[in-house]
């Protein structure tokens, strides 16, 4: 690389590396940083409240020493979001480098004023855990509004000013408010908006300064120019543009309108050569962009300043740890040695959550309101306070976990109109059991909605309610195991060791969780105010209940370790006794066993993960001064310790369970469960033969690939046609050879060549040269959309009757069958993610052509929704596998005039679901996204990625063989 050219690859240290020493703010209680010897100089720093502070510091001290002094002066814990900026000798605003000595950065320190300002703007201000931090962010927003840097429409500007003056002067009083606005300018050209500001201010009565800061940031973070610092540039055609950087990546603006964005995941390298700023993108065949984008800036220094900011933004938001310093070159330097120094956002959040320190109150210099806002809880967003004309705040909730995204976005993509309406007169969808469609079913009305709105509005309440609803389902799942023990325990085919193991393991767990559920139900009743007991004490918390019971669960840890032993003992006993195997199969076909039996055995291990997630959400929600925070944090530490102890065993057992489950779905293969074999993925591909492209089900393991077809037998299993060992396998792209797009050949020395093609067919193929119907890189062929196929995987819990012979003795709604009919694919990683995203609770359901809403108890697990009339029911009345389904928000044309509604649709099947709260809406959106929407993304996998998977497996097997 020529001198004067620098670049950086967007990578860095990930989790698992040694602890970094780059701490950019002082730990509470620590002394100020050691001052190096040398002549001292006085440096002035202008704070965000426009006051100036003077610091005496050695000229040889690094920028980090000065910054730590500033943070120590303010008792600021989350200082890593901020920085010190100054105007250099070239009249450019730059950030003080933490690594370089001050003497090398400030030519005239006595005559330079550094500005303390926000440097990194996170996407969600809820990630700011300290009230002082949010207060400083609010001051930054106030400055940006005043100078015109944060542009927005009049309604948004007036709304933000109303929150600012609520914090400064308190509740609305007309004459005082008008006088204050006449004497203070918060936005350019404020006079025409005074009446609108006062109208909004009158609606903020009762808001504390802390709540006003929260609401201000809630509005500001939705604005397109939030946190944006424009850097002038031109494109290759000479068009005047501006570049900016945000937590998502590099942005391109024309004026104040964003015209392009390059996500960090798409950017391979950023560099600059003299005046040219270069963005090198990762290869993308679907993109019209060139491999390298070039922008011309005013000078090399301008390029370098912007490049440095990009490097720091990428490291702060994308890396887990501070990147390691580059080794010093022996002879020649190549480009800049600049790197990000300090904690990343993840390190900051983890540190604040885990630290146990006393928060020191601070004085609001601009506020006349006498209120100890540190003791006030963090408010939830109040959507009803935002006027309709404000373009940045929507009127309905979002599916993403963060409520700041656009309503037209679902999982980062625009929601599409995919509801192809059925012809008039079509029969009701076979996806729903008649038991849920009769006229006597319970439907909600406005009275029920009014009742729901009387519930507490605190987010912590809904997190606690999730604990309650999922605990009810978990206790039912434990009862399935006790029912199984009763069913097989009296048979002589069941070994005494197995009987005793199940009894001694699950009976104490069932007894413990029965008491735990009772306590949670009582606490929620008090929290909701359904009795007079809430008057006598503080019951609006759940951490004390969880801490007490998780400590009571510790003596039962030995029972949790026995889950794997029971799984192994049961499999061993079934191999030894065909009678016991038949008893287990008969029990698994009962409606109460709505998922594979072995999954119920592992449920206690899965439940610990759920407790950990609930406590993490509570700790994230609470301020450290909240009465419930300490108990939640202690409970989180307890459960995290147990989860860490059991994690390795759980991974092994989940793999073992999956092998046992697949064994029941396959015929024609011996010894599927062998030591060392790991399940990786199952899914549909098209096999090329003389008859054309035929749909086949493939099973990829760590040592072999199986390809099968669906057998028309009484057992409803898949018949294995071939086994291809990965050892010695060669793979080649064979599109030119066969004339079929996206085809590749697997070649094994002991087998004939197997050519596969992966694309979507409009109809069953008739020749090897059928053309694809789309330009997707990898899609899976569709099956005919007939009611029998759909009913087999999605009607009520009865066995399938599509067989040409007698009714099936093997359940046809397993994941293998669902993947076959939906033409999709699922990996072991997807199964593990699904385990972590299980939900239960009441949902309101509506069909596409129906009027009323039906209240149901719904359990979301194993990629499926299971429907009950109430949580007391022992088995589900119907199920809906969601692989292949899309989740969106209903459009206005669908006339769904309700809050918290999301839509599930697959081909012509459309369902609407309503939740009771914004929190539940977000949780279902996140869970559906994590557990189901991946199937829609699988159709875009490149064939080369498929080949890389094989290569990776072979390399890992080779290393395992070579390294003892």
């Amino acid at each position: 690389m020529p001198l004067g050219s620098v670049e950086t690859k967007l990578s860095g240290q990930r989790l698992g590396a040694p602890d970094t020493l780059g701490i950019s703010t002082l730990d509470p209680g620590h002394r100020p940083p050691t001052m190096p010897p040398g002549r001292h100089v006085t440096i002035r720093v202008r704070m965000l409240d426009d006051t100036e502070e003077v610091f005496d510091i050695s000229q040889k001290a690094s920028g980090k020493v000065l910054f730590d002094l500033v943070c120590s002066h303010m008792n600021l814990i989350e200082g890593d979001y901020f920085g010190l900026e100054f105007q250099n000798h070239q009249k450019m605003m730059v950030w003080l480098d933490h690594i370089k000595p001050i003497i090398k950065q400030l030519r005239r320190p006595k005559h330079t004023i550094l500005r303390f300002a926000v440097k990194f703007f996170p996407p969600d201000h809820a990630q700011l855990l300290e009230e002082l931090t949010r207060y400083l962010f609010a001051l930054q927003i106030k400055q940006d509004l005043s100078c015109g840097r944060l542009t927005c429409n009049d309604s948004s500007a007036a709304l933000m000013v109303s929150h600012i003056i609520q914090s400064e002067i308190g509740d609305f009083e007309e004459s005082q408010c008008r006088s204050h606005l006449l004497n203070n300018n918060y936005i350019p050209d404020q006079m025409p908006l005074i009446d609108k500001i006062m109208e909004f201010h009158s609606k903020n009565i009762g808001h504390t300064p802390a709540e006003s800061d929260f609401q201000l940031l809630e509005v500001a973070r939705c604005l397109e120019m939030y946190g944006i610092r424009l850097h002038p540039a031109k494109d290759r055609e000479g068009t005047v543009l501006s570049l900016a950087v945000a937590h998502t990546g590099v942005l391109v603006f024309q004026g104040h309108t964003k015209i392009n964005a390059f996500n960090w995941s798409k950017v391979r390298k950023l560099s600059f050569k003299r005046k040219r700023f270069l963005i090198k993108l990762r290869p993308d065949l679907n993109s019209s962009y060139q491999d390298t984008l070039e922008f011309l800036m005013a000078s090399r220094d301008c390029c370098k300043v912007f490049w440095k900011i990009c490097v720091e933004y990428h490291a702060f938001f994308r890396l887990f740890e501070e990147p390691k310093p580059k080794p010093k070159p022996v002879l020649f330097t190549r480009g800049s040695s600049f790197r990000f120094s300090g904690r990343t956002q993840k390190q900051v959040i983890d540190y604040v959550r885990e630290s146990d320190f006393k928060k020191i109150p601070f004085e609001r210099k601009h506020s006349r309101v006498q209120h100890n806002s540190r003791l006030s809880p963090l408010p939830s967003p109040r959507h009803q306070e935002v006027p309709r004309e404000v373009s940045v705040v929507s009127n309905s909730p979002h599916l993403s976990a963060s409520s700041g995204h656009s309503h037209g976005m679902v999982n980062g993509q625009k929601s599409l109109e995919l509801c192809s309406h059925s012809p008039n007169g079509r029969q009701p969808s076979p996806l729903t059991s008649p038991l849920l469609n009769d006229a006597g079913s319970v439907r909600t009305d406005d009275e029920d909605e009014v009742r729901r709105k009387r519930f507490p509005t605190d987010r912590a309440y809904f997190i606690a309610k999730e604990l309650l609803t999922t605990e009810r389902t978990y206790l039912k799942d434990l009862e399935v195991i006790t029912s199984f023990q009763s069913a097989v325990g009296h048979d002589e085919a069941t070994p005494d060791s197995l009987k005793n193991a199940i009894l001694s393991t699950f009976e104490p767990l069932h007894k413990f969780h029965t008491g735990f559920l009772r306590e949670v139900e009582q606490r929620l009743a008090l929290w909701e105010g359904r009795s007079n007991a809430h008057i006598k004490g503080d019951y609006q918390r759940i951490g004390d209940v969880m801490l007490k019971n998780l400590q009571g669960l510790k003596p039962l840890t030995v029972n949790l370790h026995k889950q794997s032993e029971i799984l192994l003992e049961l499999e061993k006993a079934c191999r030894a006794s065909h009678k016991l195997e038949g008893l287990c199969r008969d029990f698994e076909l009962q409606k109460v066993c709505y998922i594979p039996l072995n999954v119920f055995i592992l449920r206690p291990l899965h439940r610990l993960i759920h407790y950990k997630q609930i406590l993490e959400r509570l700790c994230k929600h609470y301020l450290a001064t909240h009465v419930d925070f300490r108990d939640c944090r202690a409970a989180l530490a307890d459960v995290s310790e147990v989860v860490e102890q059991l994690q390795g065993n759980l991974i092994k057992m989940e793999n073992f369970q999956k092998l046992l489950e697949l064994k029941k779905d396959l015929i024609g293969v011996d010894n599927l469960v062998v030591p060392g074999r790991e399940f990786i993925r199952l899914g549909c591909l098209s096999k090329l033969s003389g008859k054309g492209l035929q749909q086949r089900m493939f099973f990829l393991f760590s040592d072999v690939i199986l390809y099968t077809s669906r057998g028309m037998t009484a057992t409803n299993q898949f018949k294995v046609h071939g086994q291809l060992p990965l050892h010695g396998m060669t793979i080649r792209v064979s599109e030119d050879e066969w004339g079929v797009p996206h085809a590749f050949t697997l070649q094994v020395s002991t087998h004939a060549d197997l050519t596969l093609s992966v694309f979507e067919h409009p109809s069953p193929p008739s020749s090897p040269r059928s053309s694809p119907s789309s330009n997707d890189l990898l899609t899976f062929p569709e099956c005919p959309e007939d009611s029998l196929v759909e009913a087999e995987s999605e009607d009520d819990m009865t066995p399938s009757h599509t067989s040409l012979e007698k009714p099936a003795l093997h359940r046809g709604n397993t994941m293998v069958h669902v993947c076959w009919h939906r033409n999709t694919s699922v990996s072991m990683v997807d199964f593990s993610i699904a385990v972590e995203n299980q939900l239960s609770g009441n949902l309101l359901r509506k069909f596409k052509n129906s009027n009323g809403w039906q209240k149901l108890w719904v359990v979301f697990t194993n990629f499926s929704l299971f429907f009950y009339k109430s949580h007391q029911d022992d088995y589900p009345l119907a199920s809906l596998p969601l692989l292949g389904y899309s989740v969106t928000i209903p459009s206005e044309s669908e006339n769904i005039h309700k809050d918290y509604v999301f839509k599930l649709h697959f081909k012509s099947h459309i369902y609407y679901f309503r939740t009771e709260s914004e929190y539940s809406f977000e949780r279902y959106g996140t869970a559906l996204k994590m557990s189901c929407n991946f199937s829609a993304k699988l159709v875009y996998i490149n064939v080369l990625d498929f080949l890389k998977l094989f290569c990776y497996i072979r390399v890992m097997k080779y290393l395992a063989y070579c390294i003892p």
Side-chain angles (χ1 to χ4, degrees), residues 346-624:
K346 183 184 185 304
Q347 288 177 306
V348 176
I349 293 175
D350 290 345
Y351 171 74
V352 177
R353 286 176 179 169
E354 295 169 4
S355 298
D356 186 11
F357 54 85
K358 181 180 179 181
K359 296 189 175 182
I360 305 173
F362 64 92
E363 179 185 356
R364 293 171 176 264
K365 301 288 181 64
H366 292 271
S367 180
R368 306 177 194 172
V369 183
Q370 299 299 319
H371 181 83
N372 187 3
S373 56
R374 272 212 181 265
L375 302 180
S376 61
L378 184 66
S380 300
R382 293 178 169 85
H383 293 284
Q384 67 270 19
E385 297 176 0
V386 182
R388 295 181 180 270
E389 59 265 32
V390 179
S391 63
V392 298
V393 181
S394 308
N395 297 319
S396 61
H398 311 270
L399 273 175
S400 60
S402 170
S403 60
H405 298 163
S406 170
H407 282 293
M409 303 289 287
V410 178
N411 303 330
Q413 299 179 354
K414 291 184 178 180
S415 56
L416 304 177
E417 287 290 339
L418 299 179
C419 48
S420 53
H421 297 282
S422 305
N424 294 333
R426 180 171 177 173
Q427 294 297 321
S429 169
L431 305 183
T432 312
S433 167
L435 291 172
L436 297 178
N437 279 335
D438 56 34
S441 60
V442 179
R443 298 188 180 274
T444 63
D445 52 20
D446 292 338
E447 293 180 1
D448 183 59
E449 188 166 343
V450 171
R451 183 190 64 81
R452 289 190 296 113
K453 289 183 178 179
R454 289 203 301 265
F455 282 168
T457 57
D458 184 16
R459 185 179 181 88
Y461 163 78
F462 293 106
I463 299 176
K465 191 166 185 179
E466 179 184 338
L467 171 67
L468 169 65
T469 55
T470 53
E471 188 69 12
R472 284 171 174 168
T473 296
Y474 171 60
L475 193 60
K476 284 288 185 181
D477 289 348
L478 288 180
E479 292 172 359
V480 172
I481 297 299
T482 57
S483 299
F484 170 72
Q485 194 271 339
S486 301
V488 303
H490 301 292
D491 196 280
E492 59 184 9
T494 306
D496 291 337
S497 59
L498 179 61
K499 298 177 186 176
N500 296 332
I502 295 177
L503 184 64
S504 63
T505 300
F506 286 92
E507 283 291 341
L509 289 174
H510 183 270
K511 181 179 180 181
F512 168 82
H513 286 283
T514 300
F516 181 34
L517 176 60
R518 187 184 307 113
E519 288 190 36
V520 175
E521 288 177 333
Q522 291 172 352
R523 175 56 57 88
L524 265 293
L526 298 174
W527 199 333
E528 294 169 358
R530 284 186 272 146
S531 71
N532 292 328
H534 70 284
I535 302 175
K536 303 175 183 179
D538 180 14
Y539 293 106
Q540 295 187 352
R541 52 182 176 149
I542 196 65
D544 57 333
V545 176
M546 295 197 71
L547 178 60
K548 170 192 169 185
N549 283 275
L550 287 175
Q551 290 176 343
L553 185 62
K554 279 189 174 181
L556 298 178
T557 304
V558 62
N559 297 66
L560 300 175
H561 282 283
K562 289 183 179 180
Q563 312 300 316
S564 58
E565 298 176 12
I566 293 176
L567 205 58
L568 294 169
E569 182 75 12
L570 179 60
E571 170 61 12
K572 180 180 177 181
C574 287
R575 287 202 307 264
S577 171
H578 290 295
K579 183 177 181 182
L580 178 60
E581 183 180 17
L583 291 173
C584 293
R585 183 175 61 249
D586 293 339
F587 181 84
E588 201 166 19
L589 288 173
Q590 295 181 21
K591 292 184 177 182
V592 69
C593 196
Y594 61 97
I595 55 178
L597 174 63
N598 289 334
V599 177
F600 287 103
I601 296 177
L602 297 180
R603 272 291 192 252
L605 300 179
H606 297 160
R607 188 57 178 157
L608 292 175
I609 299 176
H610 301 157
Y611 291 151
K612 183 172 180 286
Q613 293 174 335
I614 287 172
L615 286 166
E616 285 174 344
R617 283 193 285 273
L618 283 169
C619 289
K620 180 180 179 180
H621 168 68
Y622 285 136
L623 291 176

Side-chain angles (χ1 to χ4, degrees), residues 133-152:
T133 312
R134 293 191 296 274
Y135 169 65
L136 295 175
F137 265 74
L139 291 180
Q140 183 69 67
I141 296 303
K142 179 182 174 183
Q143 283 189 8
D144 292 349
L145 271 175
S146 177
C147 70
R149 178 185 286 169
L150 181 57
T151 58
C152 57

